[in-house]
Amino acid sequence: MTNRSPRAAQFEAKVHQEYLLDPDSSALLDTILDTMDVIHELSEAQRGQPLIAKGSMGQAVIAPLVAELRQQRALLSSLLKRLGLPEEAAEDDDEVSLARSERARKAARARWDKRKGS
């Protein structure tokens, strides 16, 4: 097992305690945990640093770590949605939680598939 950030380790323990994952979901969980670790490292590196940097033409731009954090958080959100755990599992991680409309869409899709016999 890799040395996980505190949040990733807590999330991993909770998921393994409450859910039995198939191999595909386990692989996806590993990617989620890796992404959480990257977010942790980037957050630590950015702590105490300015949010604004000087661009190539001297203009004020968002610091590169801030931009990368935003991208990693968006990736985490997307990966968590793909994993499809109920909101309670995801909401413990305050980085992201599934949107109500997303959960409703998944429930409607499950009902529709069940009626069609898929």
Side-chain angles (χ1 to χ4, degrees):
M1 180 172 175
T2 356
N3 191 11
R4 295 278 179 210
S5 65
R7 181 170 282 162
Q10 181 181 16
F11 184 74
E12 179 179 29
K14 181 172 178 136
V15 168
H16 284 303
Q17 177 183 4
E18 296 183 14
Y19 303 98
L20 182 59
L21 300 178
D22 62 36
D24 290 340
S25 295
S26 279
L28 183 56
L29 178 62
D30 286 341
T31 303
I32 288 169
L33 297 171
D34 290 344
T35 303
M36 291 174 123
D37 291 340
V38 169
I39 289 169
H40 176 77
E41 288 183 38
L42 290 171
S43 295
E44 290 295 312
Q46 180 58 40
R47 184 166 283 125
Q49 300 298 315
L51 298 176
I52 304 297
K54 198 174 270 196
S56 62
M57 304 297 279
Q59 77 279 23
V61 296
I62 194 80
L65 288 177
V66 174
E68 184 60 28
L69 268 166
R70 181 183 61 224
Q71 290 178 338
Q72 290 296 317
R73 287 177 174 144
L75 172 61
L76 178 60
S77 175
S78 172
L79 292 170
L80 285 168
K81 286 177 185 176
R82 281 182 43 204
L83 188 59
L85 296 180
E87 183 177 1
E88 306 84 57
E91 74 186 8
D92 283 347
D93 177 12
D94 56 356
E95 297 286 345
V96 111
S97 68
L98 292 176
R100 180 174 292 183
S101 62
E102 180 69 21
R103 291 191 324 270
R105 189 176 308 118
K106 286 182 180 191
R109 170 56 66 190
R111 287 190 303 272
W112 177 255
D113 289 345
K114 189 174 182 178
R115 275 195 294 202
K116 286 177 36 181
S118 301

